[in-house]
Amino acid sequence: IIVSMSPLLSIWKPSTGFPVFAIASTIFFIHLGSIPITITAATNKRHFYLKYNANAKLILRYLKLVGGDVSSYSYQNCEHCGGSILIYTNGGELNLYSSIVFNNKAAWGGGIRAQGDRYSDTNKNAIMNIYNSIIHNNEATTNDGGGIYMYRAVATIVNTTIDNNQADYGGGIIVWYSDVTMKNTIISNNDAYYGGGLLIQGDSTTVTLRQSSFINNDATDNGDEIYTYRSPTISLINTYFNNPNNNNNIYENTDYGT
């Protein structure tokens, strides 16, 4: 495995498990093998935290990130967000290639939370590029985004599977005031009260789904596959639903517009 750091804000080294990195500039974790190497988080820790610097960049390749759990942390400064990876405060960039985010927990964003500028709906300076990866079996224990939580962020997700994640809202992904492009991506077997597969919210949100598939996602209430709220812009291009006759595949909440 190659690790390159330039430089870090800090490295926390718990007594057990892998260090927790708080990243201020650029860090590379690249495993040279063809099978991902497993990195298990220390007890009640996440793997990576990008903070304070919109230029912070995290590049991960051929890794399996397992066992992060910050669900018991306090609400202050989103300490309970992002079970494996958290981008917070001033944005930053995550590049995830051929990797697995598995069995992580947080109150918000069981696997990953990417949050940009808190004070501007248009300054979407949390960036995610996810390619050839799996986001699986993560849980937002009390809130939103079982696999991924996006707020004022921009993401490209390609050739990726988002499977068997759980949350109250947005079992697979919640997209809030963000821009997302997905291609050749499978969203399957995720569960939530609203938006089993995706919950898409906000009038400055734009989501493009191309050649992607929604399979067996479930919402206890509305939107088994997709739930929309507050007038986002959504494009579905050559997108597959395994149960096209289900009237609850896509639900549009019109309380604040269509």
Side-chain angles (χ1 to χ4, degrees):
I1 186 168
I2 297 175
V3 180
S4 175
M5 309 171 189
S6 173
L8 297 180
L9 176 68
S10 61
I11 306 178
W12 301 313
K13 295 185 177 179
S15 59
T16 60
F18 200 77
V20 178
F21 291 89
I23 300 159
S25 186
T26 301
I27 183 169
F28 303 82
F29 275 75
I30 301 174
H31 174 46
L32 297 180
S34 59
I35 299 175
I37 188 171
T38 298
I39 299 175
T40 301
T43 302
N44 295 326
K45 300 290 183 181
R46 66 174 64 84
H47 299 91
F48 297 100
Y49 182 9
L50 284 74
K51 60 187 298 187
Y52 299 135
N53 188 345
N55 295 318
K57 183 180 293 187
L58 175 62
I59 302 169
L60 306 175
R61 191 183 300 270
Y62 288 121
L63 300 180
K64 183 176 183 179
L65 303 178
V66 176
D69 186 352
V70 294
S71 59
S72 62
Y73 282 16
S74 75
Y75 278 58
Q76 184 176 5
N77 296 321
C78 213
E79 292 177 2
H80 61 319
C81 302
S84 178
I85 300 170
L86 174 62
I87 304 172
Y88 184 71
T89 305
N90 290 319
E93 181 176 329
L94 168 65
N95 296 280
L96 186 70
Y97 304 105
S98 303
S99 294
I100 300 169
V101 178
F102 172 73
N103 200 30
N104 301 282
K105 293 181 180 180
W108 306 71
I112 301 168
R113 175 161 172 155
Q115 177 169 329
D117 191 330
R118 290 184 292 172
Y119 304 106
S120 170
D121 289 347
T122 58
N123 185 18
K124 302 169 184 177
N125 62 348
I127 310 299
M128 287 196 306
N129 299 301
I130 301 176
Y131 289 82
N132 305 310
S133 294
I134 299 171
I135 313 297
H136 176 62
N137 203 45
N138 303 285
E139 182 181 0
T141 54
T142 59
N143 286 287
D144 307 345
I148 299 172
Y149 183 112
M150 295 182 58
Y151 183 65
R152 294 171 178 163
V154 177
T156 300
I157 302 173
V158 178
N159 295 332
T160 290
T161 297
I162 299 164
D163 178 75
N164 199 42
N165 303 285
Q166 298 181 38
D168 288 351
Y169 296 83
I173 305 176
I174 186 167
V175 181
W176 190 5
Y177 297 122
S178 298
D179 298 331
V180 182
T181 299
M182 291 191 215
K183 184 177 180 181
N184 295 332
T185 289
I186 297 171
I187 300 172
S188 57
N189 303 306
N190 301 287
D191 295 298
Y193 291 118
Y194 300 95
L198 292 181
L199 193 148
I200 304 169
Q201 176 174 328
D203 57 6
S204 68
T205 293
T206 301
V207 175
T208 301
L209 302 168
R210 186 184 299 271
Q211 295 169 336
S212 294
S213 299
F214 289 83
I215 302 171
N216 295 334
N217 299 288
D218 182 68
T220 304
D221 202 310
N222 291 315
D224 284 336
E225 310 298 341
I226 300 172
Y227 181 106
T228 74
Y229 183 49
R230 292 181 180 263
S231 307
T233 299
I234 303 170
S235 299
L236 301 177
I237 304 166
N238 295 331
T239 294
Y240 169 79
F241 294 85
N242 77 306
N243 186 8
N245 297 318
N246 177 10
N247 292 328
N248 197 36
N249 274 338
I250 301 175
Y251 179 83
E252 181 182 18
N253 184 326
T254 59
D255 289 350
Y256 290 87
T258 59

